[in-house]
Amino acid sequence: PRRRGGLFQRRRERRRRHAHHRGGTWLVALLTWAAAALTAFAPELTRWMAPPSFAAAAGVVPAVAWGYALRELAEYFRNGLLVARKTRPLALVEPCLAVLDVALGWALVSRFGLAGAAATSVIVFGVYALVAHAVARRALPVDYEYRRMGACAAVAAACGAAGWALRTGSAAGDVALKAGLVMAVPAAVLGLVLREEGDREVLRALGERLRGR
């Protein structure tokens, strides 16, 4: 019985780790798609939602969008500590990040204003993601799919940058072309990156759940 229980425990552990690393890939795909959409439509969103005096704020939208994508990825790695029931490192990491945030805010915001605040967000959340990943890897050894994560992010970043730079001289034309670019992200990711059987199973399960609702 002990051996059988140990075997079942190891199998559950392997399934848990597999689900965690596969979930990380899908999370990166979704987060970077959202960041790409906000990047591409930043000028239009700023123009529609704010007075003309706020037009310059469109320039910081991409930094904020990608910064918060990094933050959510860091939270995902942080959840690995919760899964492993090893939360003690958080007591050190998070206060250090708060100090870094204050220091960068003082150094960059005081000098560069809004652009400095945007840069601070990206730097702090990027450091958070790196540190959370390093700590989580020690607590819960998982082989994250770095190549596939990077490919998802690269596709989204390229489409977001193309959408940001797109200027046709027609507002309607800009919106239509940007919408096409944004919708090309999941098509490219699903066609080029997320092609394994496990990915197809995730999509089938999601489709069945949506139809059930």
Side-chain angles (χ1 to χ4, degrees):
R2 289 185 180 179
R3 290 183 179 178
R4 182 175 297 178
L7 176 61
F8 289 158
Q9 180 65 29
R10 288 193 295 272
R11 286 179 177 174
R12 284 196 297 268
E13 182 69 18
R14 285 196 297 269
R15 286 197 299 268
R16 182 172 65 178
R17 292 181 182 182
H18 177 76
H20 189 66
H21 87 254
R22 179 55 54 84
T25 304
W26 280 87
L27 180 65
V28 168
L30 292 171
L31 289 175
T32 55
W33 182 25
L38 289 172
T39 298
F41 283 104
E44 287 77 14
L45 291 172
T46 306
R47 186 168 61 248
W48 296 336
M49 300 176 65
S53 57
F54 283 82
V60 302
V61 172
V64 174
W66 286 92
Y68 273 87
L70 287 170
R71 180 189 180 280
E72 293 306 313
L73 181 60
E75 289 293 317
Y76 182 79
F77 291 137
R78 178 179 177 272
N79 288 339
L81 297 174
L82 302 179
V83 171
R85 299 179 182 179
K86 296 180 180 179
T87 58
R88 183 174 297 178
L90 297 176
L92 177 62
V93 170
E94 294 184 351
C96 289
L97 285 169
V99 172
L100 176 63
D101 192 12
V102 172
L104 286 175
W106 179 80
L108 298 179
V109 177
S110 61
R111 184 173 181 181
F112 301 105
L114 188 59
T120 297
S121 297
V122 174
I123 294 171
V124 171
F125 292 146
V127 171
Y128 184 21
L130 289 173
V131 173
H133 167 264
V135 174
R137 281 278 292 161
R138 289 192 175 189
L140 184 69
V142 174
D143 293 325
Y144 293 104
E145 299 174 328
Y146 300 111
R147 180 186 60 80
R148 302 176 81 204
M149 287 179 171
C152 291
V155 169
C159 288
W164 168 264
L166 184 63
R167 301 289 188 276
T168 65
S170 167
D174 287 351
V175 171
L177 289 175
K178 289 183 180 186
L181 280 171
V182 170
M183 295 311 298
V185 173
V189 166
L190 291 173
L192 299 175
V193 183
L194 302 179
R195 303 184 297 178
E196 296 182 2
E197 179 60 30
D199 300 316
R200 291 193 289 270
E201 291 177 0
V202 170
L203 289 175
R204 282 196 294 267
L206 179 61
E208 291 174 358
R209 180 170 296 183
L210 292 174
R211 286 194 297 270
R213 291 181 179 179

